[in-house]
Amino acid sequence: GAVVSQHPSRVICKSGTSVKIECRSLDFQATTMFWYRQFPKQSLMLMATSNEGSKATYEQGVEKDKFLINHASLTLSTLTVTSAHPEDSSFYICSARPLLRRLSETQYFGPGTRLLVL
Amino acid sequence: AQSVAQPEDQVNVAEGNPLTVKCTYSVSGNPYLFWYVQYPNRGLQFLLKYITGDNLVKGSYGFEAEFNKSQTSFHLKKPSALVSDSALYFCAVRDNGGSQGNLIFGKGTKLSVKP
């Protein structure tokens, strides 16, 4: 149980285009989903926290107009990188925290999306 | 400020030997501590957590971790390492200062197990 999927797993796009990444909790409902960014050989940096039906909370330094987050349901959150540039190339990882109380302290992570902007 | 420190960038052990991956933390309030493992080009897999209760926590794949309040540590251990344990290990603490319960991660420790 507690499986999180991400789609796509890898995407290559041209500079200036927008890319949407989906994060789904497959076998549980998630009150909260988190979006992280990981640079090579570095730790995960929290970008934003999304709650179903409300606006996302962005970490300091993260542009909310560039990284659009939509949390349409208890099982789906999307991250859209708008007008992508080469510096946006990174590994994006989402996680979900279950609605079920006894599991709610643990975040379950998706497999990540590798974005390469040319 | 709450933080997690993993003092070792890399840990090398021989297969069959015990392994320890170190983690220390600094939090306000009760610490909620986690260990995750990441294989190349993959997301993080949950190993174990300490919320309350016994200081020795047992997790997936034979791993365990010991919560030590006086030393503010939560070291990850395994009695006998396998080559397949080679991966990147992250210690994390829940951000008690925030309302969303997000995690604060250490920088990661690369574990290399040689045959």
Side-chain angles (χ1 to χ4, degrees):
Chain A
V3 177
V4 176
S5 71
Q6 274 184 248
H7 178 80
S9 58
R10 179 185 291 264
V11 58
I12 301 173
C13 68
K14 293 181 179 180
S15 185
T17 60
S18 294
V19 175
K20 179 185 283 189
I21 302 170
E22 291 187 349
C23 177
R24 292 181 185 272
S25 56
L26 298 184
D27 51 1
F28 66 97
Q29 291 182 319
T31 52
T32 306
M33 289 185 171
F34 302 89
W35 286 96
Y36 295 86
R37 185 173 179 177
Q38 186 181 29
F39 291 102
K41 301 186 186 300
Q42 295 190 28
S43 188
L44 282 73
M45 299 301 295
L46 180 67
M47 297 175 65
T49 303
S50 73
N51 291 293
E52 185 263 341
S54 63
K55 290 184 178 180
T57 303
Y58 290 82
E59 295 300 298
Q60 192 172 7
V62 178
E63 299 176 59
K64 62 180 181 181
D65 294 330
K66 180 167 185 63
F67 298 100
L68 300 178
I69 291 173
N70 182 277
H71 195 151
S73 75
L74 285 172
T75 59
L76 173 64
S77 177
T78 60
L79 168 68
T80 301
V81 183
T82 62
S83 186
H85 291 284
E87 58 265 29
D88 298 325
S89 300
S90 190
F91 194 48
Y92 293 87
I93 305 176
C94 74
S95 71
R97 195 169 70 200
L99 179 63
L100 189 61
R101 180 63 186 169
R102 67 180 176 85
L103 297 176
S104 65
E105 298 303 340
T106 302
Q107 291 182 31
Y108 296 92
F109 286 78
T113 297
R114 176 76 61 191
L115 171 63
L116 177 61
V117 184
L118 302 177
Chain B
Q2 299 173 107
S3 63
V4 173
Q6 291 180 246
E8 304 152 316
D9 290 335
Q10 181 155 344
V11 171
N12 299 311
V13 297
E15 188 175 30
N17 283 0
L19 69 88
T20 299
V21 183
K22 295 180 181 178
C23 172
T24 58
Y25 65 89
S26 173
V27 299
S28 57
N30 294 321
Y32 287 22
L33 297 157
F34 302 81
W35 275 102
Y36 287 87
V37 59
Q38 185 181 33
Y39 296 97
N41 295 311
R42 298 286 190 88
L44 274 66
Q45 293 180 30
F46 170 73
L47 280 179
L48 50 80
K49 66 182 176 183
Y50 172 83
I51 304 298
T52 186
D54 290 341
N55 290 342
L56 185 63
V57 179
K58 294 188 182 298
S60 306
Y61 313 120
F63 283 93
E64 58 188 29
E66 186 169 10
F67 171 65
N68 188 316
K69 187 174 183 179
S70 62
Q71 297 185 6
T72 61
S73 67
F74 190 56
H75 301 332
L76 180 70
K77 300 181 180 183
K78 187 172 182 180
S80 179
L82 300 173
V83 173
S84 58
D85 292 330
S86 299
L88 191 56
Y89 290 81
F90 289 98
C91 181
V93 63
R94 193 182 79 165
D95 183 359
N96 290 339
S99 61
Q100 307 279 15
N102 60 283
L103 295 177
I104 299 170
F105 285 88
K107 62 182 175 66
T109 299
K110 182 179 179 181
L111 174 65
S112 177
V113 182
K114 300 293 186 185

